[in-house]
Amino acid sequence: MLRLENVTKTYRTRNGTFNALDDVSLHIEAGEFAVIRGASGCGKTTLLMTFAGMLRPTRGTVLFGDRDLYRMGSAERACFRAQNLGFVFQMFHLVPYLSIAENVLLPAAAAGLADPGTRAAELIDKLGLASRRHHDPTQLSAGEKQRTAVARAMLNEPRVILADEPTGNLDPDNARAVLGHLAEYHKGGGTVVIVTHGPEAAQFADKIIHLNAGRIDSNP
Amino acid sequence: MHIAKLIVKEILHRKTHFLLGLVAVAAAVALVVAFVTTAAAGNRETARLMLKTGFNLRIIPADADMNRFLINGFSDRTMPAGYLDTMARQEGFSYNHLLASLQQKIAWRGMEVILTGLAPEVCPPDRKKPPMVFEVKRGTAYMGSVLAEALDIKKGDAIDVNGTMLEIVQCLSPSGTLDDIRIQCHIADAQTILNLPGRINEIQAVDCLCFVPTDDPLAILKDELARVLPEAQVIQIARIAEARNQQRRMVQSYLAFIMAAVIVVAGAWIGLLAMLNVRQRQSEIGIMRAIGYRADYIAALLLGKAVLMGLVGALIGFTVGSALAVVFGPDIFKVTAKALKTDYALLLWSLIAAPAFAAVASFIPVMRAVAQDPADTLRKE
Ligand SMILES: Nc1ncnc2c1ncn2[C@@H]1O[C@H](COP(=O)(O)OP(=O)(O)O)[C@@H](O)[C@H]1O
Ligand SMILES: [Mg+2]
């Protein structure tokens, strides 16, 4: 369903240019739990953002089904993300002035959801945040923040959840809990792509892709 | 969630930031409103009255010989004393002082004397201005210094001027002007002495305004007065009016300069605050872009805050500025004080201009934040 074809992403720096992704081709099937592993700085986030339609590759194409993401206009791509994608980041990125419930509801307007309240309440219960519903993000532990982010990623019932180091700031128990929720979503038919340098996610994976200095490493 | 709700929640979350912006907008609006209200009061009155204020006029008989008038300092002809009342009651004409006099050169005790009869000073009923000249009671006189010395006249002496007895209430100290050879008495006494009952030969009108909008208020004043005072002509004491007008223009351009400076500073301040705000909100902007909010929505979210800042700032600024104008204005703009009042059209303008101004001042930082690659913020570990 998600397909990269000969994607190269070149960054321009003070010391010249360098390829964060170098001729990467890979595809992820619908309903797959894919983990992309690699050392820090090997290009994982770059890869994920390219998947997400948020970072135009220097060369190559990114396909979602049969749609070429970077042939769309930026407003169309935004709409596409709102309909099809969910995001979880290492740094949570909760909106500080919104309550937990409101943060979970944030994608509703962008995705044009009909009855987001019910769905949000379900997710908040399911992720164990019911008692935190009206709290501010600052009042939450790291684990609770990331579960809020997971609930937010699931609100629009996306076809794919893209997670960038979702357990990078969590202790092992919370890491397991967050991965468990993503796994459950996967069992329900969702597609999950996690990029991470850690080993925790591997046990849930249908497919593990190794990335090394911007290239797919077929024998790690 | 509705965009307005997001804006309000963010404002409540970062109150200090909003207040700092509000202060700038409110201060700028208050200053502009205070300035425009007072200037408008001035202009409104000036428009209705005239474009320049404070003409000092000399009204003398129409048939006066100008040559002799200028040489002697007074006219050799007379006009009805009733003109004083007519002027005082004239609609569409405002003044601060009216001084009527009857002057003539007479021979007295072998000297040439200017007998000067002064009518009690006339002021508008609602204005408490200190009198410009001393008031002379009937049967009394003030003696010029040259006369007093030459004729050995002292305070308390009674003098006979062509059959009228006057008591000297004061001998004036030397002034180096015609006053030194004047006998100044009540106008009625002068009329008796000169056998000119009910006549005067000059009215000085100080601080005159006319009630018709015009570029040439003096012409209007002259026309108006010519109509009601057919036997009179009007001469302007030009230097005073021109000096006042220049002073007024100087004050106005100085205030306009201060106003422009405050607006520039307020704009820079709001722009700086917007920059700090979007920097703080990078994470929020990034996640909203990722989630699928379009760039124009984010721009509206950020600029909406500036617009709200402008609206609230306009309300506060208008209230403060109007209050300042109404409280302090009358002391500053004494001439036009009566016309000072809250101008609600300015409220409308403030409510349009201040939000637009705040949005323009915030525009560059906001657009830079929106144009920034969200991937950059979201990748931060
Ligand atoms: N905007 C950028 N400009 C220049 N270099 C960048 C930029 N973003 C990332 N990089 C570099 O590209 C490489 C890959 O970055 P990233 O995709 O964030 O790696 P990872 O997520 O695997 O740690 C790193 O060396 C990083 O420093
Ligand atoms: Mg990364």
Side-chain angles (χ1 to χ4, degrees), chain A residues 11 81 93 97 102 106, chain B residues 9 283-284 289 293 379:
Chain A
Y11 286 123
R81 282 198 297 274
H93 295 301
Y97 54 84
E102 289 164 341
L106 193 63
Chain B
K9 284 194 171 257
S283 150
E284 172 193 346
R289 293 297 299 278
Y293 284 98
R379 81 163 69 241

Side-chain angles (χ1 to χ4, degrees), chain A residues 40-41 43-46 90 164-165 195 197, chain B residues 378-381:
Chain A
S40 192
K44 301 184 297 296
T45 299
T46 303
Q90 181 176 354
D164 187 354
E165 307 275 10
V195 303
H197 69 275
Chain B
L378 293 174
R379 81 163 69 241
K380 291 208 175 81
E381 290 172 11

